[in-house]
């Protein structure tokens, strides 16, 4: 047990500045704001009770900080699922501490059980809303060999950064320098039919979809690539799409849980 704690501590230090963060503040806030606008009255009322008057937007980024606290360090590996180049999604070996798909599946089951204490339900909900957003960031289905593109070094408008950082925030900010409300008002425009299509599927289905984008990102962004206007133009539509899908799917799941 003592050895396991030491290993976990070392693991946490390795991933403190690597795979954990996704989409940045604006991205997670946008995902949760879109979800909030699509909640049923019943779901919204129950969530308001669980979060004691604060919205899911308020808690959207909480887990990024919490995962670095000792009491929540067990959730560090929950933010991603690594799939290496040439590896099939189905062939990825399970991670003992869990990954983003297993974590979301477990949290959904706990929330649907309606057997949690108030504090347990609040914790599960805060984790769930954040991880659903993470599931839609391509680099959170990135390669284990480069720590989710944290070791892929590029120049973004002349600045030395890593590819994961580009997708966390640099690309988002360069595409549109909007607040989360502005993002929401501009991209939350899918028809009812489109929304129904978007929310179909499982966590595995959505992870595979994100993986397909990750594969394309790696192919178009080799180590040392110089990225600027063309890159922003190419990938901003995917960022917009992933924000919207994450928000609509989150609302759909929360409405099902609290119907």
């Amino acid at each position: 047990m003592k050895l396991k704690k030491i290993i976990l501590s070392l693991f946490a230090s390795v991933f403190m500045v690597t795979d954990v963060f996704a989409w940045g503040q604006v991205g997670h806030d946008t995902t949760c704001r879109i979800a909030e606008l699509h909640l049923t009255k019943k779901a919204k009322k129950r969530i308001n009770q669980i979060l004691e008057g604060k919205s899911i937007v308020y808690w959207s980024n909480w887990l990024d900080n919490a995962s670095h606290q000792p009491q929540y360090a067990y959730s560090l590996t929950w933010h991603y699922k690594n799939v290496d180049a040439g590896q099939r999604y189905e062939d990825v070996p399970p991670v003992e501490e869990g990954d983003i798909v297993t974590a979301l599946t477990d949290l959904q089951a706990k929330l649907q059980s309606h057997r949690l204490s108030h504090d347990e339900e609040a914790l599960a909900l805060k984790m769930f809303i954040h991880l659903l957003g993470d599931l839609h960031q391509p680099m959170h289905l990135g390669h284990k060999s480069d720590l989710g593109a944290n070791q892929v070094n590029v120049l973004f408008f002349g600045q030395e950064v890593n590819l994961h950082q580009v997708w966390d925030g640099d690309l988002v900010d360069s595409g549109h320098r909007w607040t989360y409300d502005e993002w929401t008002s501009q991209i939350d425009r899918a028809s009812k039919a489109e929304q129904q299509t978007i929310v179909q599927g499982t966590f595995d289905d959505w992870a595979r979809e994100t993986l397909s984008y990750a594969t394309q990102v790696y192919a178009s962004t080799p180590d040392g690539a110089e990225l600027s206007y063309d890159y922003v133009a190419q990938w901003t539509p995917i960022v917009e799409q992933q924000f919207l899908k994450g928000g609509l799917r989150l609302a759909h799941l929360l409405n099902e849980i609290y119907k």
Side-chain angles (χ1 to χ4, degrees), residues 39 43 47 56 125 128-129 250-258:
L39 292 175
I47 290 169
I56 56 174
L125 181 57
F128 188 77
I129 63 177
L250 177 58
H252 172 72
L253 294 172
L254 293 177
N255 287 337
E256 284 296 304
I257 290 169
Y258 295 115

Side-chain angles (χ1 to χ4, degrees), residues 104-237:
L104 282 166
T105 302
D106 182 59
L107 290 167
Q108 181 186 32
K110 288 179 177 178
L111 290 167
Q112 285 181 324
S113 75
H114 302 295
R115 296 177 181 175
L116 301 176
S117 68
H118 176 81
D119 289 346
E120 289 171 339
E121 188 165 10
L123 176 60
L125 181 57
K126 292 172 191 176
M127 290 180 161
F128 188 77
I129 63 177
H130 180 87
L131 295 177
L132 203 286
D134 277 357
L135 186 66
H136 292 79
Q137 207 274 51
M139 296 298 93
H140 279 240
L141 271 292
H143 301 163
K144 183 177 181 180
S145 59
D146 56 35
L147 304 180
N150 276 280
Q151 295 179 345
V152 176
N153 298 309
V154 298
L155 289 175
F156 190 76
F157 288 94
Q159 298 295 314
E160 294 183 4
V161 294
N162 65 67
L163 183 56
H164 194 108
Q165 179 183 333
V166 169
W167 276 84
D168 275 354
D170 293 340
L171 178 58
V172 174
D173 292 339
S174 296
H176 305 291
R177 196 167 290 277
W178 292 336
T179 65
Y180 70 83
D181 270 329
E182 290 170 327
W183 270 97
T184 300
S185 68
Q186 294 302 318
I187 68 175
D188 185 17
R189 301 186 178 200
S191 67
K192 290 294 183 182
E194 289 170 333
Q195 291 176 33
Q196 290 174 359
T197 298
I198 287 171
V199 301
Q200 298 302 310
T202 65
F203 296 129
D204 280 312
D205 293 332
W206 302 338
R208 289 188 185 93
E209 181 183 63
T210 302
L211 174 61
S212 71
Y213 293 127
T215 303
Q216 295 173 50
V217 171
Y218 274 112
S220 67
T221 325
D223 193 64
E226 297 183 16
L227 315 178
S228 60
Y229 298 103
D230 288 348
Y231 195 84
V232 174
Q234 177 184 1
W235 290 109
T236 294

Side-chain angles (χ1 to χ4, degrees), residues 3-65:
L3 178 59
K4 186 174 182 179
K5 288 182 178 179
I6 292 173
I7 293 173
L8 182 58
S9 177
L10 290 171
F11 180 86
S13 67
V14 169
F15 283 92
M16 186 160 292
V17 292
T18 54
D19 279 279
V20 172
F21 298 105
W23 284 146
Q25 186 81 38
V26 172
H28 279 291
D29 286 353
T30 301
T31 297
C32 282
R33 180 56 179 156
I34 291 172
E36 191 173 48
L37 293 176
H38 291 270
L39 292 175
T40 62
K41 290 183 179 179
K42 189 171 185 179
K44 188 177 294 184
K45 180 179 179 180
R46 180 58 187 146
I47 290 169
N48 187 63
Q49 293 171 339
I50 297 166
L51 300 180
E52 299 179 347
K54 292 184 171 64
S55 72
I56 56 174
V57 177
Y58 180 93
W59 293 107
S60 68
N61 275 274
W62 175 81
L63 190 59
D64 270 342
N65 293 321

